Amino acid sequence: MAFFEVTSANADRAQKFYAELFDWQVQADPQMGGYALVDTGAGIGGGIGPSTAPGDTGVKIYMRVDDLDAYLDRAERLGGKRLVPPTDLPGDFGRFAIFTDPDGNQVGLWA
């Protein structure tokens, strides 16, 4: 697992909630439109950010892969559904994609 993400209709509230609940270090990144990077102190970091579309709130895990398209194709062959095609992240944060598993759970890929 590469990182996790919490998406909320009220990102500021979610950032404060998780920071206070788990004593996480949450740093807003002004270049990322309200998105904050999270240091859990436990090795796996993440982010907490605003919702960008109806129904996209929740928690996602992101798996690090070397080929986004190949893994999206594999997920579809196994019964998953491609939701977000490979997309560039701002700065030097790489690229990501999102699919759903056969049960509808959203899973992110990061390269």
Side-chain angles (χ1 to χ4, degrees):
M1 182 167 79
F3 66 98
F4 67 89
E5 178 176 65
V6 177
T7 307
S8 172
N10 186 331
D12 290 335
R13 179 186 65 209
Q15 292 165 7
K16 182 177 179 184
F17 175 83
Y18 284 103
E20 291 181 16
L21 179 63
F22 295 120
D23 293 323
W24 290 348
Q25 298 299 310
V26 178
Q27 288 291 116
D29 187 331
Q31 296 179 10
M32 296 181 77
Y35 198 86
L37 300 177
V38 176
D39 179 354
T40 65
I44 296 175
I48 302 173
S51 171
T52 58
D56 75 345
T57 59
V59 178
K60 287 185 209 66
I61 60 167
Y62 284 78
M63 307 305 288
R64 187 142 180 80
V65 299
D66 57 358
D67 186 332
L68 293 173
D69 285 308
Y71 277 89
L72 287 170
D73 290 344
R74 185 183 301 175
E76 288 179 319
R77 282 194 309 273
L78 295 170
K81 180 180 175 187
R82 186 182 303 233
L83 287 183
V84 177
T87 304
D88 292 329
L89 290 165
D92 293 329
F93 287 105
R95 303 182 81 215
F96 79 100
I98 299 172
F99 67 91
T100 59
D101 68 14
D103 292 313
N105 299 300
Q106 294 186 18
V107 178
L109 302 173
W110 179 47

